Amino acid sequence: MAAELHVELVAADRSVWSGEATLVVARTTSGDIGVMPGHQPLLGVLESGPVTIRTSDGGTVIAAVHGGFLSFADDKLSLLAEIAELADEIDVQRAERALERAKEATDAAADRRPYGPLRAGAGPYRTATT
């Protein structure tokens, strides 16, 4: 039998997935990380992105995670996310609408910038030098 680690993927409002795995890949503020049985203990901050879990029975579980933390010690991995959804739970139309709203909000914020990108020594607040 191959080495295993116990994985708990928990969102703020529910337990999303729990089980045995041989590999978990997640996105952290330091970059993507793969955790296998026997990994050194770690604590990391999760970035928004996919979490891929290779289950002990050879299957794959994929979840979308938005923020949170991960902790690993003694072959137990805890992923504590602000929001997490399994790939097969995602409402694609809802996600596309949310993406469109986010793009519109970004465009509107860019339109409100009075002077464009700031540069040192440029713009209306430039000081006089002698």
Side-chain angles (χ1 to χ4, degrees), residues 44-65:
V45 177
L46 290 170
E47 288 281 327
S48 293
V51 169
T52 303
I53 302 167
R54 302 276 184 220
T55 63
S56 296
D57 63 6
T60 301
V61 174
I62 299 175
V65 174

Side-chain angles (χ1 to χ4, degrees), residues 7-8 10 16 20 25 40 48 70 73 78 91 96 100 109 120 130:
V7 179
E8 294 282 337
V10 179
V16 178
E20 306 306 312
V25 179
Q40 291 295 314
S48 293
L70 69 87
S78 297
D91 180 339
E96 287 173 346
E100 193 58 38
T130 55

Side-chain angles (χ1 to χ4, degrees), residues 11 13-14 22 41 57 60 63 66 80 83 85 90 97 109 113 116:
D13 61 344
R14 68 189 177 113
T22 58
D57 63 6
T60 301
H66 305 281
L80 310 169
I83 300 170
E85 292 181 281
I90 296 172
R97 287 191 305 270
R113 289 188 201 130

Side-chain angles (χ1 to χ4, degrees), residues 25-104:
V25 179
R27 182 160 297 149
T28 70
T29 55
S30 300
D32 288 1
I33 186 167
V35 179
M36 297 174 72
H39 196 285
Q40 291 295 314
L42 71 97
L43 179 63
V45 177
L46 290 170
E47 288 281 327
S48 293
V51 169
T52 303
I53 302 167
R54 302 276 184 220
T55 63
S56 296
D57 63 6
T60 301
V61 174
I62 299 175
V65 174
H66 305 281
F69 299 90
L70 69 87
S71 171
F72 181 77
D74 300 322
D75 286 334
K76 294 182 179 98
L77 177 66
S78 297
L79 299 132
L80 310 169
E82 294 173 26
I83 300 170
E85 292 181 281
L86 295 174
D88 58 0
E89 296 175 340
I90 296 172
D91 180 339
V92 176
Q93 291 177 338
R94 179 185 52 83
E96 287 173 346
R97 287 191 305 270
L99 177 61
E100 193 58 38
R101 284 192 307 273
K103 286 179 182 176
E104 290 170 4

